[in-house]
Amino acid sequence: MVQAEGTLAIVIDVLRASTTIVTALGNGASAIIPLATVEEARARQAQEPHLLLGGERNAHPLPGFDFGNSPLDYTPEKVQGREVILTTTNGTRALQGAHQAGASAIIVGALTNRQAVVDFCSSWDGSILLVCAGSHGRFSLEDALCAGAIIAGLDPKLRLTDGARTCRALYEHYGAEQLPSQIASSDHGLGLKGKGYGPDVVFATALDVTSLVPIYRGGEIRPLEG
Ligand code: MLT
């Protein structure tokens, strides 16, 4: 993790953790509790049995969990008013990494809440750090495109790093209309489709469908109050 102290960190894992978090909170979950490991998640749920348990390893749900990491699973019927523990391979680790690196505020960014994140950034007077979760430490096209889509909406007078300029150029090269096809043909997009999660990829590439901004504070993610 680069220097994060004092920044607003926007954690992005389009496929699928950040999309799942935005969706679950939008469907009425009261909080998401991101934990890095399956063991931590199970131990926490054993201590607090009222919590629901969600997450994946190798993209699939884990034995005994209430949900996998499919945003489509987190329906209002299942999550309304509930707190959900979430552990995923890359996304929840990226959230914890931003916290441990000292970010002043941490929000969750996806394509589905892109404009809401942009609007929140306009009220932030300081550095902004886009944290692309990637995949096992490697670059992910979908996260870079989401970062680029956010950057393209920010004040053009902001000074951008080379990485930020590259993400914006990538997004501008494809444009919003090509996001679904480019992400569907990305490494992770194809991998998820091959495992039967193609509908998640389609769902995650919809732009600006919610104004919800999840904020991570005190070990929990909740919707930012209006
Ligand atoms: C992750 O956090 O690594 C991803 O969300 C994996 C997945 O697609 O489930």
Side-chain angles (χ1 to χ4, degrees):
M1 176 79 59
V2 294
Q3 189 65 34
E5 270 173 37
T7 63
L8 164 65
I10 306 169
V11 176
I12 299 168
D13 185 8
V14 171
L15 298 176
R16 297 167 286 172
S18 58
T19 305
T20 295
I21 292 166
V22 170
T23 305
L25 293 174
N27 283 342
S30 54
I32 304 292
I33 302 167
L35 295 175
T37 68
V38 175
E39 294 71 29
E40 284 174 89
R42 287 210 165 103
R44 178 75 180 264
Q45 207 257 349
Q47 281 170 357
E48 298 178 66
H50 65 281
L51 300 175
L52 294 171
L53 198 48
E56 57 69 40
R57 287 300 179 270
N58 296 317
H60 294 300
L62 291 143
F65 275 44
D66 300 292
F67 307 97
N69 192 24
S70 170
L72 299 170
D73 283 350
Y74 291 73
T75 59
E77 294 72 30
K78 293 182 186 165
V79 300
Q80 182 72 43
R82 305 293 301 270
E83 295 172 76
V84 186
I85 298 168
L86 185 70
T87 179
T88 71
T89 311
N90 305 287
T92 52
R93 286 175 188 272
L95 275 159
Q96 291 201 331
H99 174 64
Q100 284 157 7
S104 289
I106 301 172
I107 61 172
V108 176
L111 289 167
T112 54
N113 72 340
R114 185 276 309 250
Q115 187 59 49
V117 167
V118 168
D119 293 344
F120 181 79
C121 289
S122 66
S123 66
W124 181 261
D125 186 21
S127 297
I128 297 170
L129 177 67
L130 289 125
V131 181
C132 293
S135 186
H136 299 282
R138 294 196 310 274
F139 177 90
S140 279
L141 181 66
E142 67 277 9
D143 295 340
L145 283 170
C146 183
I150 292 168
I151 295 160
L154 298 179
D155 182 347
K157 293 196 286 298
L158 283 180
R159 191 177 66 75
L160 300 182
T161 62
D162 292 354
R165 285 171 61 181
T166 304
C167 289
R168 184 180 65 182
L170 188 67
Y171 169 71
E172 288 176 346
H173 173 74
Y174 289 122
E177 59 288 347
Q178 281 196 58
L179 287 175
S181 60
Q182 291 303 321
I183 294 175
S185 62
S186 68
D187 291 341
H188 198 31
L190 288 174
L192 285 171
K193 190 172 173 208
K195 291 175 180 173
Y197 300 113
D200 291 357
V201 180
V202 174
F203 182 85
T205 54
L207 202 55
D208 300 337
V209 295
T210 174
S211 59
L212 189 137
V213 177
I215 185 155
Y216 179 44
R217 280 193 281 239
E220 296 180 346
I221 307 170
R222 293 181 184 269
L224 189 73
E225 298 299 331

